[in-house]
Amino acid sequence: PAAVRLAAAAGFERVRALWQMRRSLQARLGQPQLAEGVTVRTFEVGRDEEDWLGLNAGAFASHPEQGSWTRDDLDLREREPWFDPAGFFLAERAGQLVGFHWTKIHGQGSSGSEHGHEPIGEVYVVGVDPAERGSGLGRALTLVGLRYLRSQGLFEVMLYVDEGNTAAIGLYESLGFTHWDTDVMFAGGQGSGDASG
């Protein structure tokens, strides 16, 4: 609230808010229920990049950042120390990608927890082909990733979701996630650009 008042006093407006949601990985996790004809495998570096980029663009056509990823954006993530294709799940139907769940683990490094906390999993991004929406694929893929993160010995998982994406928030709440924190983006002011708080 203090940041909101300060931003308003400086002429900034709240333009976007991301919820951080969390859940325990020790609580019960349901079994993923895949529709007939859908299989899940892990991402293969050097094989899946272009198909994934096409699916990502379709799944996030209206999203300001995620939907516009390029090969350079993906290559950059593949070079990150946290990148692990074993935690990047792809759903296929008749040999075509129709959905994905890319997980991430924070705080797991050779020097221990470099983030000052116990390692935590992240639902980094879940995407579903628009033709598969309503089929339960997003829920199934989320569960596949959660079960993987638990198998890595993690106790907790987090994710970020746009505050206005009520469908995704409803899905995550039904999977046991609760609101943890909110990151707000402000814009405007006397030509001073953007600020985050």
Side-chain angles (χ1 to χ4, degrees):
V4 172
R5 286 192 300 273
L6 178 62
F12 287 91
E13 292 181 64
R14 176 180 167 132
V15 294
R16 189 173 179 208
L18 288 178
W19 276 20
Q20 184 184 139
M21 300 181 80
R22 292 189 182 195
R23 71 155 283 166
S24 168
L25 287 170
Q26 303 310 297
R28 184 182 176 282
L29 286 173
Q31 287 288 338
Q33 302 294 318
L34 294 168
E36 188 174 342
V38 175
T39 58
V40 175
R41 65 176 176 84
T42 55
F43 185 89
E44 292 182 35
V45 174
R47 170 187 169 193
D48 291 320
E49 285 84 354
E50 294 304 323
D51 288 342
W52 180 83
L53 285 166
L55 173 59
N56 183 67
F60 292 99
S62 62
H63 192 282
E65 294 105 20
Q66 186 67 37
S68 63
W69 275 38
T70 66
R71 180 61 187 261
D72 287 342
D73 295 321
L74 181 54
D75 289 346
L76 180 67
R77 269 59 169 204
E78 287 182 0
R79 291 191 299 270
E80 291 286 342
W82 54 260
F83 178 75
D84 181 4
F88 192 164
F89 300 94
L90 304 178
E92 291 182 318
R93 182 188 292 279
Q96 297 295 310
L97 294 187
V98 292
F100 63 92
H101 180 183
W102 188 350
T103 67
K104 187 175 181 180
I105 299 176
H106 298 273
Q108 228 179 29
S110 57
S111 61
S113 179
E114 70 267 16
H115 294 282
H117 57 72
E118 288 297 313
I120 185 171
E122 180 179 350
V123 174
Y124 185 48
V125 61
V126 176
V128 173
D129 186 302
E132 296 283 339
R133 290 198 181 131
S135 69
L137 182 56
R139 177 184 207 75
L141 283 167
T142 303
L143 285 166
V144 167
L146 294 178
R147 296 173 76 83
Y148 168 77
L149 291 168
R150 183 167 68 183
S151 78
Q152 300 305 297
L154 300 172
F155 292 95
E156 193 173 29
V157 61
M158 59 172 281
L159 59 84
Y160 289 97
V161 60
D162 279 316
E163 180 180 65
N165 190 344
T166 55
I169 289 172
L171 168 65
Y172 295 134
E173 287 177 338
S174 76
L175 290 169
F177 284 87
T178 58
H179 182 237
W180 179 267
D181 199 5
T182 304
D183 292 339
V184 180
M185 178 183 288
F186 297 95
Q190 290 106 32
S192 34
D194 291 346
S196 294

